[in-house]
Amino acid sequence: AKEHLFALAGNPNCGKTTLFNAITGARQHVGNYPGITVEKKEGLCSLDGRTLRLVDLPGTYSLTAYSLEELVARDFLVHERPEVVINIVDASNLERNLYLTVQLLELGVPVVMALNMVDVAESRGIRIHCDELSRRLGIPVVPTVARRGEGKEALLRAAVDVAESGRRWEPLRLSYGADIDPALQDMERLIVEKGLLTDLYPARWTALKILEEDEQVLGKAREADPALTDELLAQAAKVTQHIQKTLDSYPEAIIADHRYGYISGLLREGIVEQRWRGDRLH
Ligand code: GDP
Ligand code: MG
């Protein structure tokens, strides 16, 4: 029988554990990630003759190297290569939750979105047009109410479809503006040429992480090719200095701004319908 590995990723309090429990019921196992105290929950379920293995990743807002939870989540995605990442998104907090979605897409992993808490959104007069969100992001989006188990089968079917479709997932390529894009492109080209960590990460993602001085990625890069890493760091330093001087900012902040810009552009029209606020119709 076919078996698939899916990971559940989402911000804290998006309903990840509730959905995980609704899907796996009693077939769960709680342990720890090797060597650390971060809890690792795994569970099984069956669907249409397949066995689905689900891992509930730690709740995170981002995929940086600043917290153990974020490192655990991203290492799991990169090293265990789940066939699909089920990204649980709180529909009542869509804009903020999409920040993680964007990073998952930049990492190039296959994503299916569970648009959860649509009942909460509805009760505040917010309707989200899933088809349009799905079309703009290029990923399946399935509405769910995890607390009542609603939508879970449709969600799992969408994930199985992705796992069995053989679809190629190209990492999302955002622009980070004129101060970063040209250097990023040069760095990316070098990374591809030398094959630096290309078995793990998309080249552009590695370049971004070097620009952000991500300690984990830098460590791995140094181990693989110290000379190239020095060259990339020198390029990154130039960008950082320039941004400090001209904008009084730093690359991570500019990168975050552009991600938020992309998200607000995405949501500007046709996705979120605010039907009323308080007791007033709009
Ligand atoms: P996690 O931090 O992502 O694991 O979130 P939890 O699964 O612990 O859920 C956080 C809270 O949201 C809990 O009180 C859940 O009962 C509630 N919750 C989860 N999903 C839904 C949903 O779809 N609708 C509503 N109304 N509440 C939900
Ligand atoms: Mg939880």
Side-chain angles (χ1 to χ4, degrees), residues 8 16-28 43-46 52 54 86 88 146 149 151-153 155-156:
L8 302 188
K16 204 157 46 57
T17 300
T18 307
L19 188 65
F20 176 82
N21 290 341
I23 292 171
T24 61
R27 299 171 74 189
Q28 303 187 0
L44 295 174
C45 79
S46 332
L52 311 181
L54 273 77
I86 297 178
I88 298 131
K152 65 180 182 183
E153 287 208 351
L155 175 68
L156 293 174

Side-chain angles (χ1 to χ4, degrees), residues 147-202:
R147 201 185 249 179
R148 301 197 295 255
E150 287 174 21
K152 65 180 182 183
E153 287 208 351
L155 175 68
L156 293 174
R157 287 220 166 78
V160 167
D161 279 350
V162 165
E164 295 180 358
S165 69
R167 168 178 166 187
R168 266 184 60 83
W169 286 74
E170 295 297 336
L172 175 65
R173 300 177 64 90
L174 291 187
S175 164
Y176 308 100
D179 293 305
I180 287 182
D181 282 350
L184 198 65
Q185 207 153 339
D186 287 348
M187 292 168 75
E188 186 185 346
R189 192 174 38 75
L190 276 174
I191 289 165
V192 170
E193 240 172 61
K194 301 275 170 70
L196 181 70
L197 305 179
T198 45
D199 54 333
L200 292 179
Y201 313 117

Side-chain angles (χ1 to χ4, degrees), residues 107-168:
L107 188 55
V109 295
V111 177
V112 168
M113 183 183 293
L115 188 67
N116 193 40
M117 307 228 193
V118 287
D119 58 329
V120 179
E122 279 285 338
S123 74
R124 295 183 195 161
I126 300 166
R127 178 172 294 169
I128 292 158
H129 295 277
C130 289
D131 290 352
E132 191 56 18
L133 182 60
S134 163
R135 193 182 68 74
R136 294 210 202 154
L137 286 172
I139 61 174
V141 176
V142 180
T144 61
V145 180
R147 201 185 249 179
R148 301 197 295 255
E150 287 174 21
K152 65 180 182 183
E153 287 208 351
L155 175 68
L156 293 174
R157 287 220 166 78
V160 167
D161 279 350
V162 165
E164 295 180 358
S165 69
R167 168 178 166 187
R168 266 184 60 83

